[in-house]
Amino acid sequence: MSDAEAAGSTVLLKKVQEMLNEEKWTRATLSNYSTAQFKDLDAILHEAREEKGFDELKKICDEHLVHTKNSIIALYLSGMVALSRQIIDDSVVINLVTIFMDNHKWNIVKYLCERILDFGESKFALRTLIDCYKNDNEEGPLHEIWERLVKVDFEEADLAKALGEHYEKQAKLEEAEDYFKKALHRYTAKQQFTNIREIWEKLLQYCPEDIDFFLHVQKKIARSISEDKAVLLLHDVYNSCMKRDDVDTAITILKIVLEYDEKDGQARREITEAFRKKYANHSQLEEYIRISNLTQNYRNVHEAVTDFEKHIAFDKGNFVYHRTWGVGRIALVQGDDITIDFSKKRGHTMGLKMAVSALQTLSKDHIWVLKATWKKEKLREKVKDDLSWTLKTVIRSFGNACDLKRIKSELSPAVLTPGEWTGWSSRAKDILKSDPSFGVSPENIDIFTVRERPISLGEKLYNEFKAERNFFGRTATIRSFISQKDAEPDSEYFTEMLAYFSGYLRSSGQVNEQVIASFLLVKDLAGKFPQLTASLNSQGISLGNFADLFEKIDDVPALFFALKDAKIREDFLKSIRLFVPGWDDIYIKLFPFALLTEIVDSLVKEGHEDKLTSMTSSIFENYRDNREAVVWLFKNMADRDWYKKANIPFERQLIILIHIMDLSYREIENHRDTSENRKLSKQIYTILFKEGVLDTLMQSADDDTLTRLFTLIQDVKDLDPADKMKLRNAIHERRPDFKFFGDMDKVTAAHRGLMVTMAMYDKKQKQLAHIMDEEVPANSKEIAFALSLGDLRENAEYKAAKEKQEILNSTVAKLKEEIERAQLFDPSTVNLNRVSFGTRVVLKNLADGKEEEYSILGPWESDPENRIISYLSPFGGAILNKTAGEQFDFSIDNEKVSFVVEKITAVTF
C-alpha cells in the first residue's frame, strides 16, 4: 500500500467509525432505512477496495458487532467484505436480512439479496427472494429464480418437480422431461418413494425408450430404499415395453426383476410369455420350453432361462462353431438330432444334448460367420470403409463386451495387415471415444460395449467415470465432461462426479496427492461455474485455504511427482507461488523433479537468478542424484546468464554428461528403470553426437582435453562402436598427428552391435515382412486344416505344418534379433588410414609372393567366394585396424602365413 493509499484509508476508516457511533447514539430505527442508504454504504465499500482497506474496515465492523450485534452499518459492511473474500461463514449477512424480513421491509430485503447474489449464487438469497416475490404477488420472475435455485441446490426436489409441471403446461416437453429427471434423482436421494412413483410414471410417458436412465435410477432405489420398491418400478417399465412391442428390452427388465427375487412367480410367467412372443416362429419353441423346465417352479429360474436360451439358438439356418471344424450352419433339426454343414465336414449329425454342450451358437452377424461366408476382399473393404459397423460387429460377437486386444486378434492379420491395423485402430479409438453408440463396461474402462440406444455424450462420459478406477483418469473424464458445448454443472451426472472429489476435501486425514488434486480441481470447476460455490459452502468446504493444506504435506517433491495430471501440476505450482510464503525456496527444491520452464521463468521474473545459479552448481556437483536435471539444464538453459554464472567449465559439463550416459547404460543392463534410462541416454547421445557438441569442442580443445574425452567415450561399453570409430576418424581427420591410447580392435570385437550396409538392411526387413505377412498366416491355415482331419497321432499333414511353424518361428526370432542389433554403416565415414569396415585391402602373401584382394564388410554381406569377408570372421578380425605396410601373421590349417598390407581403398557401394 502506498503512502497516499494509507492516508486515504485512514480517513475512510475514521469516517466509518463516526457513522457507527452516530448509529449507536441516535438509535436509528429500521423504518428510517431505505435502499438509498445501502447504496451510500456501497460507495464506502468501493472506496475501501480502491484504497486497499478492506481488512481494516472489516476489523472495525466486527469489533463494533461484539457490543452492538444488530448494527445495520456494521452488519452490511462486514458481510459484503466477507462475501467479496469468498469467506464461507455468511451468518452476518443472514442476520442482516433476517432483521429486515422480521420487520417486513421487503424492498430492502430484495435489495440485500440481490447484492448477495452479485458475489455468486446463494441458496439463502434465492429462497429469500422467492419469499419476497410471493409476498408482493409477483409471479413473473419466480420461475427464473426457481431455476437458479435448482442449479445450486442439488437437494431441491420439489421446485424441480414444479418446474417440470410448469413447462409441461406450456407444452415444452423437453424442458419438462429434464426437470422431472432432476426431481426423480433428488427424491431418490431423499428416499421419498411416493414422489418417486409419481415422477416415474410421468417419465414413462415422456421418454419410455430411455431404458438406460430408468435402469440407472432403479439401481439407486434398490440400494438406498429397497429392492422391493425397485421391482415395483421395473414392472411399470416392463408393461411399457410390452405395449411398444419391445420384447427384447422387456426380457432384460424381467431378468433384473428375477435377480432381485428369483421366487417372483409373476415375473417368471411374464418372461415365459415374452420368450413365446419373441420366438413365435421357431420350430422347436414349445419343446425347448418343456426341456428347460422354464414354467416349472421347482427349477431355479436362472438355470432354466440359461438352458432355454442355449436351446432356442438351435434352429434350421442358424450358425454354430466347433473348436475343430470351425463355423457350420444347421441344415436340419429333427427330433433330438441336429444336422450341421461345416465347411470341411458337411452333413454332420449329432444329438441335441451333445450339440448344446459341444457347440457355440453364433448369430448370422458374428464376425466368425462373416469371415467364413464372405469373400475375403469384400470383408476387407467393408472393414476398411465402415469402422463403426466393424466395431459393433466384433463387440457384439463376444457378448457385447470386448477390448481392443480382442478386436485386433479378430481383424489382424486375418482381414487387415499389421500396417493397415495401425492406422485403422487409431481412427477406431476416436470413434469409440466420441460415438454415443458405444459405451464402456461399469467394471472395466478398457472393455467396450454397443448401446442399443445412443446416449448423450454427457452420460457416456459419466459411465466412463464410474468405470475408471484410476483417480487421475477420473480427473481427465470430468474435464472432458465440462468441456462439452452444452455442459450442465447442475446435471445429476456432474453432481455425482463432483461429489467424488469433494469427498476428499471433507476428510481431516493426511494431505496426499488425491486431497491436493481434489482441492485444485474443485477450485478450478468453481471458477468456471460460480454457482457451485454455494453448494460447496453449504457442505463446509472452503476453497480459500491452500496454504493451510500445503503445511500438512509431508514430502512436497514426492507429492508433486505423484500428481499424474499436467493441469493439476500447473495449478499446484501456481498456488504455491500465490499463497505460500517462501515459495521461491520451494520452487528450487521442486525443480529437479519438475524440470519446467515455468519454474525458471517465475524465479527470474521475481529476481531470484542468484538462487538459480546456486541450484545449477549444486545439481552438477551432485549429478548422480540429479541426472535428468543436468541434461535438462544443459539442453535448455545453457545460454542463460544465471547458468553461465555457475562457472562450470564446458569440458566438465561434457564429462558429467558422458558419465551419466554410462550410468544409464548400466542401469538398463541391470533392468532398473529401463524406460527412463533409455530416454535419458538417448537425449545425451543426441546432444553429443547428433547436435555436434563433441564436433564443436574438437575444433578448439587441446590434446589433453581430447584424450580425456575420447577415453571416457571409449570406456562407455554399450555405446555403439560405430559412433566411437566415427569420432576417432573425425579427430584423426582434423589432427592427423593426434596419438590415441587404447586399441580400437578390442572395441570392435567386443561390441554387441552388428555393422551392416543399407542394402542388406533393407533386404532383411523385406524378408521379415514376407514371413510375417504371408508365410506365417499361410502356415496357420495349414495347421487349422490339419486339425480338421481328426486324430493327431497319425496326422502327417499336422506334423509337417507344426515343423514348418517351428522353422518360421526360429527364423523370425533370429531376424528380429539381428535387425535390432544392426548398426547402419555410413560410407562417408570410411577410414582409409587403416583396415576397417567398408575398405578394400590388397595383401601380399609373403610365402608365394602373390597379391590377394579382400573387401571388409559384415556377416550379412559375407561372400568368401567373391573375396568379401566379415569383419567378425577370424581372418577379418586379424586384418582389422592394420595400416598400409604393416606385416602380420595368420594361421591357416595350422600353418602360419605372413602377409603385408599393400593398399587400402574404399569399397564401392
Side-chain angles (χ1 to χ4, degrees):
M1 182 185 296
S2 67
D3 292 341
E5 288 173 334
S9 177
T10 301
V11 172
L12 177 66
L13 295 174
K14 185 177 179 181
K15 176 182 175 183
V16 170
Q17 188 67 63
E18 291 173 352
M19 291 172 62
L20 292 172
N21 292 334
E22 182 181 353
E23 178 191 43
K24 180 179 178 181
W25 294 330
T26 59
R27 299 181 181 275
T29 61
L30 292 176
S31 59
N32 294 332
Y33 280 92
S34 66
T35 57
Q37 288 168 289
F38 286 102
K39 289 178 182 179
D40 291 339
L41 293 177
D42 285 336
I44 290 174
L45 287 167
H46 176 76
E47 188 177 348
R49 183 174 63 250
E50 292 296 314
E51 295 175 358
K52 300 180 180 177
F54 257 11
D55 292 335
E56 286 299 319
L57 177 63
K58 188 175 189 307
K59 182 179 178 182
I60 288 174
C61 293
D62 289 344
E63 289 174 354
H64 187 76
L65 288 170
V66 172
H67 307 289
T68 313
K69 63 180 182 179
N70 289 336
S71 167
I72 303 301
I73 295 173
L75 286 171
Y76 186 77
L77 293 176
S78 176
M80 290 300 113
V81 172
L83 287 172
S84 69
R85 294 289 172 82
Q86 298 289 305
I87 296 173
I88 289 179
D89 184 5
D90 56 358
S91 58
V92 172
V93 291
I94 291 176
N95 186 22
L96 177 64
V97 173
T98 303
I99 289 172
F100 285 100
M101 285 179 65
D102 292 343
N103 287 272
H104 308 290
K105 300 282 287 184
W106 296 110
N107 284 341
I108 293 178
V109 170
K110 192 183 300 184
Y111 179 84
L112 293 174
C113 288
E114 288 171 349
R115 284 291 287 127
I116 292 171
L117 293 171
D118 287 340
F119 296 96
E121 298 290 59
S122 162
K123 290 189 280 187
F124 168 78
L126 289 169
R127 289 189 186 282
T128 306
L129 269 182
I130 290 171
D131 292 338
C132 288
Y133 287 120
K134 285 182 177 178
N135 182 76
D136 294 340
N137 294 317
E138 292 184 53
E139 293 291 331
L142 265 181
H143 294 107
E144 179 186 344
I145 298 174
W146 286 2
E147 289 183 351
R148 291 171 66 183
L149 184 56
V150 167
K151 283 185 177 181
V152 298
D153 188 350
F154 301 143
E155 296 179 359
E156 178 53 68
D158 291 337
L159 285 182
K161 176 188 172 187
L163 283 166
E165 292 168 344
H166 169 70
Y167 284 115
E168 187 178 40
K169 290 175 183 176
Q170 294 184 345
K172 294 181 178 179
L173 300 186
E174 189 174 332
E175 289 86 350
E177 178 187 326
D178 183 52
Y179 279 107
F180 281 136
K181 283 183 175 180
K182 282 183 171 61
L184 182 58
H185 278 294
R186 296 174 187 193
Y187 282 132
T188 300
K190 292 173 178 285
Q191 301 182 11
Q192 296 178 358
F193 188 73
T194 302
N195 300 95
I196 291 170
R197 189 72 183 269
E198 179 186 355
I199 303 296
W200 186 273
E201 291 172 354
K202 276 185 177 291
L203 287 171
L204 278 174
Q205 297 173 25
Y206 289 130
C207 53
E209 296 182 353
D210 195 355
I211 299 301
D212 294 309
F213 168 78
F214 292 110
L215 293 181
H216 174 66
V217 176
Q218 69 84 22
K219 283 182 183 178
K220 286 185 173 182
I221 292 168
R223 190 166 55 245
S224 63
I225 303 177
S226 73
E227 292 182 354
D228 291 343
K229 300 297 185 186
V231 166
L232 281 174
L233 299 175
L234 286 171
H235 275 296
D236 292 340
V237 179
Y238 162 76
N239 292 328
S240 171
C241 291
M242 293 303 286
K243 287 178 183 176
R244 293 182 286 106
D245 287 329
D246 186 358
V247 181
D248 286 334
T249 303
I251 291 171
T252 299
I253 297 299
L254 291 170
K255 285 181 179 179
I256 296 171
V257 170
L258 290 167
E259 286 289 337
Y260 288 136
D261 182 10
E262 62 183 30
K263 302 294 186 183
D264 190 326
Q266 179 186 348
R268 185 166 191 150
R269 289 189 295 274
E270 288 172 341
I271 201 170
T272 302
E273 292 309 311
F275 280 137
R276 282 194 169 105
K277 189 170 185 178
K278 179 177 180 178
Y279 299 107
N281 298 322
H282 196 290
S283 61
Q284 305 293 314
L285 172 62
E286 293 303 324
E287 178 63 14
Y288 290 162
I289 289 175
R290 183 189 65 79
I291 291 173
S292 63
N293 294 310
L294 190 59
T295 59
Q296 304 302 314
N297 291 334
Y298 65 80
R299 187 174 188 195
N300 178 280
V301 68
H302 303 299
E303 294 176 0
V305 168
T306 301
D307 203 9
F308 171 79
E309 290 183 324
K310 277 186 178 180
H311 281 80
I312 203 68
F314 289 92
D315 198 18
K316 182 179 179 181
N318 289 355
F319 291 92
V320 294
Y321 174 80
H322 187 275
R323 60 189 179 89
T324 300
W325 303 318
V327 175
R329 190 169 190 175
I330 299 174
L332 182 66
V333 179
Q334 192 169 19
D336 288 335
D337 291 328
I338 295 179
T339 303
I340 307 163
D341 289 331
F342 295 100
S343 58
K344 295 180 178 129
K345 195 175 180 69
R346 301 184 69 81
H348 181 76
T349 301
M350 63 172 62
L352 176 61
K353 188 175 181 180
M354 173 63 75
V356 169
S357 62
L359 300 178
Q360 177 183 343
T361 56
L362 306 175
S363 71
K364 64 179 181 179
D365 297 321
H366 196 289
I367 187 63
W368 293 351
V369 173
L370 300 180
K371 286 197 283 189
T373 59
W374 285 25
K375 290 184 178 180
K376 182 175 180 179
E377 193 56 36
K378 175 186 175 182
L379 181 58
R380 184 170 178 273
E381 290 304 314
K382 180 67 173 175
V383 168
K384 289 176 68 176
D385 295 341
D386 195 340
L387 277 72
S388 181
W389 172 87
T390 306
L391 289 168
K392 289 177 181 178
T393 298
V394 177
I395 293 170
R396 284 172 172 152
S397 295
F398 302 99
N400 199 25
C402 200
D403 61 10
L404 273 174
K405 186 177 180 181
R406 183 58 187 265
I407 294 171
K408 180 180 180 181
S409 69
E410 293 301 326
L411 299 179
S412 180
V415 182
L416 300 173
T417 66
E420 290 172 331
W421 165 259
T422 302
W424 191 95
S425 62
S426 178
R427 288 181 289 144
K429 289 175 185 175
D430 291 337
I431 291 173
L432 289 169
K433 184 176 181 180
S434 60
D435 190 335
S437 299
F438 297 97
V440 295
S441 164
E443 288 77 35
N444 188 343
I445 196 170
D446 295 323
I447 302 295
F448 298 99
T449 62
V450 179
R451 309 195 67 91
E452 297 304 322
R453 291 159 293 277
I455 57 174
S456 68
L457 181 57
E459 186 176 351
K460 179 180 174 67
L461 289 168
Y462 168 77
N463 291 335
E464 290 179 8
F465 183 90
K466 298 294 284 185
E468 177 64 72
R469 296 292 178 262
N470 181 274
F471 177 90
F472 291 103
R474 289 188 165 189
T475 65
T477 304
I478 196 171
R479 279 210 192 89
S480 297
F481 185 94
I482 64 170
S483 67
Q484 300 173 85
K485 184 178 179 181
D486 300 318
E488 297 180 6
D490 61 322
S491 74
E492 302 307 318
Y493 301 126
F494 180 81
T495 302
E496 286 193 36
M497 289 189 281
L498 181 66
Y500 171 78
F501 296 107
S502 59
Y504 283 96
L505 304 181
R506 285 193 292 270
S507 63
S508 58
Q510 180 185 9
V511 174
N512 56 20
E513 64 271 18
Q514 284 93 353
V515 173
I516 289 292
S518 295
F519 176 89
L520 295 170
L521 176 66
V522 172
K523 186 173 183 179
D524 183 46
L525 294 174
K528 290 182 172 67
F529 306 107
Q531 63 266 38
L532 296 177
T533 304
S535 176
L536 293 168
N537 287 347
S538 68
Q539 300 173 52
I541 296 174
S542 170
L543 298 177
N545 60 347
F546 178 81
D548 295 339
L549 276 179
F550 188 83
E551 284 184 7
K552 298 177 183 177
I553 300 173
D554 294 330
D555 187 337
V556 175
L559 184 139
F560 179 85
F561 191 75
L563 294 173
K564 306 298 184 183
D565 183 299
K567 178 65 168 61
I568 288 175
R569 281 188 172 188
E570 179 185 330
D571 290 344
F572 181 64
L573 290 173
K574 183 179 178 181
S575 297
I576 291 173
R577 179 167 54 82
L578 292 176
F579 305 116
V580 180
W583 66 270
D584 48 331
D585 292 328
I586 297 168
Y587 268 31
I588 292 293
K589 186 178 180 181
L590 270 176
F591 177 79
F593 302 89
L595 300 178
L596 294 172
T597 305
E598 291 87 340
I599 289 181
V600 173
D601 291 344
S602 295
L603 289 166
V604 170
K605 184 178 180 181
E606 298 297 327
H608 297 297
E609 291 94 336
D610 55 333
K611 292 190 176 184
L612 285 168
T613 301
S614 299
M615 178 196 75
T616 301
S617 298
S618 176
I619 284 174
F620 272 87
E621 185 68 27
N622 302 285
Y623 69 87
R624 290 177 181 272
D625 298 323
N626 298 288
R627 288 184 273 175
E628 293 85 357
V630 168
V631 176
W632 193 92
L633 284 170
F634 185 91
K635 187 176 180 182
N636 299 286
M637 298 290 150
D639 60 341
R640 303 288 183 96
D641 290 338
W642 53 263
Y643 180 93
K644 295 174 183 176
K645 287 179 182 178
N647 293 323
I648 306 169
F650 191 60
E651 177 191 349
R652 171 68 177 160
Q653 295 178 45
L654 293 188
I655 287 172
I656 288 174
L657 286 175
I658 294 168
H659 275 307
I660 292 174
M661 182 166 62
D662 191 31
L663 286 171
S664 299
Y665 281 136
R666 292 179 190 178
E667 296 278 300
I668 293 168
E669 189 174 4
N670 293 325
H671 307 289
R672 287 200 293 264
D673 299 325
T674 304
S675 59
E676 291 84 353
N677 280 296
R678 278 184 179 151
K679 180 181 177 181
L680 194 60
S681 60
K682 186 176 180 180
Q683 287 177 337
I684 299 174
Y685 175 85
T686 300
I687 291 169
L688 295 178
F689 293 96
K690 293 188 176 181
E691 294 179 359
V693 171
L694 285 175
D695 194 57
T696 302
L697 181 69
M698 282 191 302
Q699 298 176 21
S700 58
D702 57 33
D703 285 359
D704 288 343
T705 300
L706 277 181
T707 299
R708 280 193 297 273
L709 289 173
F710 183 76
T711 302
L712 284 172
I713 290 287
Q714 190 169 333
D715 287 342
V716 181
K717 71 171 187 175
D718 288 306
L719 183 64
D720 188 346
D723 290 308
K724 297 178 182 179
M725 190 173 288
K726 185 176 180 180
L727 178 62
R728 180 188 179 106
N729 293 342
I731 295 173
H732 195 278
E733 183 178 329
R734 286 181 174 81
R735 302 190 184 184
D737 297 331
F738 184 79
K739 301 297 183 182
F740 291 95
F741 295 92
D743 188 355
M744 282 299 293
D745 184 16
K746 294 179 182 178
V747 175
T748 303
H751 81 78
R752 300 192 307 176
L754 186 68
M755 296 288 288
V756 300
T757 60
M758 177 61 78
M760 285 305 297
Y761 184 79
D762 289 342
K763 184 176 179 181
K764 293 289 184 179
Q765 288 274 36
K766 289 176 182 176
Q767 182 183 353
L768 177 62
H770 174 75
I771 294 173
M772 295 295 294
D773 295 344
E774 297 185 30
E775 293 190 41
V776 169
N779 176 248
S780 297
K781 290 181 179 179
E782 291 172 358
I783 292 174
F785 173 72
L787 283 169
S788 70
L789 299 177
D791 192 352
L792 300 182
R793 290 172 296 178
E794 298 184 10
N795 190 329
E797 289 87 352
Y798 177 75
K799 291 179 181 178
K802 288 297 288 182
E803 287 173 2
K804 185 175 180 180
Q805 185 184 56
E806 291 177 9
I807 293 171
L808 288 173
N809 289 341
S810 175
T811 304
V812 166
K814 182 180 178 183
L815 277 171
K816 284 184 176 179
E817 191 268 338
E818 288 182 345
I819 289 172
E820 187 176 338
R821 289 174 53 209
Q823 303 292 330
L824 292 177
F825 173 69
D826 181 358
S828 67
T829 65
V830 65
N831 180 11
L832 300 182
N833 294 312
R834 58 186 63 239
V835 178
S836 60
F837 189 100
T839 59
R840 181 179 288 112
V841 58
V842 178
L843 303 177
K844 183 176 182 181
N845 188 325
L846 297 182
D848 56 16
K850 293 181 179 179
E851 288 188 348
E852 302 174 13
E853 185 175 313
Y854 299 95
S855 294
I856 311 301
L857 295 174
W860 283 0
E861 297 85 4
S862 179
D863 184 1
E865 290 185 4
N866 291 306
R867 300 281 178 147
I868 300 174
I869 61 175
S870 168
Y871 71 96
L872 295 177
S873 67
F875 190 48
I879 301 173
L880 209 62
N881 289 316
K882 298 298 183 288
T883 57
E886 187 173 347
Q887 181 177 329
F888 67 96
D889 297 329
F890 184 75
S891 296
I892 302 175
D893 297 330
N894 295 321
E895 181 181 346
K896 184 183 289 185
V897 180
S898 296
F899 295 92
V900 172
V901 178
E902 293 283 310
K903 184 180 179 182
I904 302 172
T905 59
V907 172
T908 302
F909 291 96

